[in-house]
């Protein structure tokens, strides 16, 4: 299945969002251990949803042969060359780097996760959980 385009504020990914990007000519996800996790996609300017593809929108795309999907936030769209744009997107987890935390202390993992949410001085749409007790 081709990537699905979502509005920038989507959090559930349980619908087809703005639509499936069926006109996509190529879509490659690169994940390096302790490195980048990015998507590069080519899309024609004549594509049905071209006018809705914008920076900060989210692409929900398959990342492996098991058809597992992950969200990627668009950060760059090139100028068209021969009617095709290249779209660059980073994994949604990169959004965490823009959240500023007020320093805190925690004695348990649960307290640390609660403090990450509560001590964010900027909007923090993420939730945190673990099955670890230490």
């Amino acid at each position: 299945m081709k990537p699905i385009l979502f509005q920038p504020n989507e959090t559930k990914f349980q619908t087809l969002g703005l639509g499936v990007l069926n006109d996509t000519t190529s879509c490659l996800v690169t994940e390096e251990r302790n490195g980048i996790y990015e998507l590069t996609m080519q899309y024609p300017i004549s594509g049905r949803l071209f006018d809705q593809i914008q920076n900060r929108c989210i692409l929900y795309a398959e990342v492996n042969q098991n058809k597992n999907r992950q969200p990627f936030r668009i950060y760059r769209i090139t100028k068209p060359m021969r009617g095709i744009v290249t779209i660059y997107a980073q994994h949604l987890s990169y959004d965490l780097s823009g959240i500023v935390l007020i320093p805190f202390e925690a004695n348990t993992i649960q307290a640390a996760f609660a403090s990450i949410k509560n001590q964010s001085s900027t909007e923090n749409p993420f939730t945190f959980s673990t099955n670890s007790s230490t």
Side-chain angles (χ1 to χ4, degrees), residues 103-123:
F104 66 88
E105 292 182 17
N107 294 326
T108 66
I109 189 72
Q110 290 80 10
F113 281 172
S115 293
I116 290 171
K117 185 73 172 174
N118 298 330
Q119 296 298 111
S120 298
S121 62
T122 54
E123 183 182 347

Side-chain angles (χ1 to χ4, degrees), residues 32-119:
E32 295 176 4
R33 185 176 298 185
N34 298 320
I36 65 167
Y37 196 8
E38 294 197 354
L39 176 147
T40 305
M41 182 177 89
Q42 293 190 325
Y43 195 81
I45 61 173
S46 61
R48 185 177 68 83
L49 295 173
F50 175 75
D51 291 340
Q52 296 187 48
I53 299 173
Q54 300 173 11
N55 281 331
R56 308 272 318 139
C57 282
I58 298 172
L59 298 172
Y60 197 55
E62 291 177 2
V63 295
N64 56 36
Q65 300 88 342
N66 295 328
K67 310 270 188 221
N68 294 327
R69 290 183 168 273
Q70 290 289 315
F72 294 84
R73 185 170 308 280
I74 297 172
Y75 69 87
R76 180 175 172 224
I77 303 168
T78 65
K79 293 190 184 288
M81 292 187 64
R82 296 188 181 111
I84 303 284
V85 294
T86 301
I87 299 164
Y88 298 92
Q90 294 178 322
H91 190 269
L92 196 65
S93 64
Y94 282 56
D95 284 4
L96 284 168
S97 66
I99 296 173
V100 178
L101 292 179
I102 298 167
F104 66 88
E105 292 182 17
N107 294 326
T108 66
I109 189 72
Q110 290 80 10
F113 281 172
S115 293
I116 290 171
K117 185 73 172 174
N118 298 330
Q119 296 298 111

